[in-house]
Amino acid sequence: SSGINAEWPLRPGNDLCTRYFSKTTWQPSKQELISQLEVCMTDALKQYHEKNGAYPDRVIVFRDGVGDGQLLAVKEQELRDMKTALSRLPKMPELVFVVVTKRIQQRFFLKAGSRLTNPGPGTIVDTKVTRDELFDFFLVPQSVGQGTVTPTHYNVLEFQTTLKPDHLQKIAYKLCHIYFNWTGTIRVPAVCQYAHKLAFLVGQSLHRDPSPQLANLLYYL
């Protein structure tokens, strides 16, 4: 079996995403879909209420680790489980569910005179090469010293919110700056990398659930 986790930034009174809650669940090896996401979401909502005295008005989920071929399965299972957990709240919050994909073939170039260069960090591509049937976009999160920069693909499976697409794109880019183990930007939102680090630690080293007392600490970095 392998360890997986759902990790959620908790907003304290200063409106900064500086608190985190982590939880691990177990499932068979090679299984990509999270079978106990409803449990993870319920525990995260309880923790949020305990820390803030209220439930969130908006939930934004960045889901890493699945390819384009699994988008439908993610929507039918994980998104359904998440909505089930949220439906138990006194008021249904706004929900944004985004699948983040790093392993893609697309590359983008910026024409500068007679030569081609890498586009700058923060570049968004959301027309022409995106899907007609789905809200998706490409984000160039960082610069490279040599070679071709690799963008990250974001597929938005749920967008029931008052946010505008531009707002979501800015949030995704800014979250690439707050990974504590690196001084620059990373390729995915920091919460995705935190979840990966926790799942790797629990699945490869601990082989059991960590203590609940560690749930609010970034001990896995």
Side-chain angles (χ1 to χ4, degrees):
S1 62
S2 62
I4 62 173
N5 103 309
E7 184 171 4
W8 323 94
L10 300 179
R11 188 179 68 180
N14 61 1
D15 288 340
L16 297 176
C17 287
T18 54
R19 294 182 183 176
Y20 294 87
F21 170 77
S22 62
K23 180 178 177 62
T24 56
T25 61
W26 295 86
Q27 60 189 41
S29 179
K30 307 299 182 181
Q31 178 180 318
E32 296 292 346
L33 297 182
I34 304 174
S35 57
Q36 300 185 56
L37 188 57
E38 183 180 340
V39 176
C40 294
M41 190 68 188
T42 299
D43 288 349
L45 291 169
K46 290 179 180 178
Q47 183 72 9
Y48 187 100
H49 188 272
E50 180 181 327
K51 297 294 184 181
N52 297 276
Y55 290 107
D57 297 321
R58 179 184 298 123
V59 175
I60 303 177
V61 180
F62 290 98
R63 168 68 160 100
D64 191 15
V66 295
D68 286 356
Q70 296 175 299
L71 291 180
L72 181 58
V74 170
K75 186 173 184 178
E76 291 179 346
Q77 178 177 321
E78 295 185 3
L79 185 56
R80 178 203 62 203
D81 292 347
M82 187 157 294
K83 287 182 176 180
T84 300
L86 293 174
S87 67
R88 299 193 183 100
L89 300 184
K91 179 183 177 182
M92 184 73 172
E94 297 180 2
L95 176 61
V96 179
F97 192 99
V98 187
V99 174
V100 185
T101 308
K102 293 184 296 183
R103 298 182 180 90
I104 61 175
Q105 301 298 322
Q106 291 87 345
R107 300 293 184 270
F108 302 107
F109 301 92
L110 177 66
K111 190 173 183 180
S114 59
R115 53 192 292 267
L116 296 176
T117 64
N118 285 317
T123 297
I124 294 287
V125 178
D126 57 5
T127 59
K128 304 296 184 182
V129 296
T130 52
R131 307 171 192 264
D132 293 331
E133 73 282 2
L134 186 68
F135 170 26
D136 68 320
F137 61 91
F138 296 89
L139 166 64
V140 178
Q142 56 191 176
S143 59
V144 294
Q146 59 182 3
T148 304
V149 68
T150 302
T152 303
H153 193 197
Y154 292 78
N155 287 287
V156 184
L157 302 185
E158 185 80 8
F159 196 65
Q160 298 298 324
T161 177
T162 55
L163 289 176
K164 296 180 179 179
D166 288 353
H167 296 154
L168 176 62
Q169 293 164 354
K170 290 179 181 178
I171 291 172
Y173 179 51
K174 290 182 178 181
L175 285 176
C176 294
H177 290 74
I178 59 172
Y179 182 59
F180 291 123
N181 265 10
W182 185 249
T183 56
T185 57
I186 60 175
R187 290 187 57 195
V188 296
V191 286
C192 294
Q193 189 64 19
Y194 292 146
H196 172 74
K197 294 284 286 187
L198 175 57
F200 185 83
L201 174 66
V202 173
Q204 300 296 321
S205 300
L206 297 182
H207 305 295
R208 60 182 176 87
D209 288 329
S211 170
Q213 296 178 348
L214 299 175
N216 296 119
L217 303 176
L218 300 178
Y219 63 93
Y220 38 83
L221 295 184

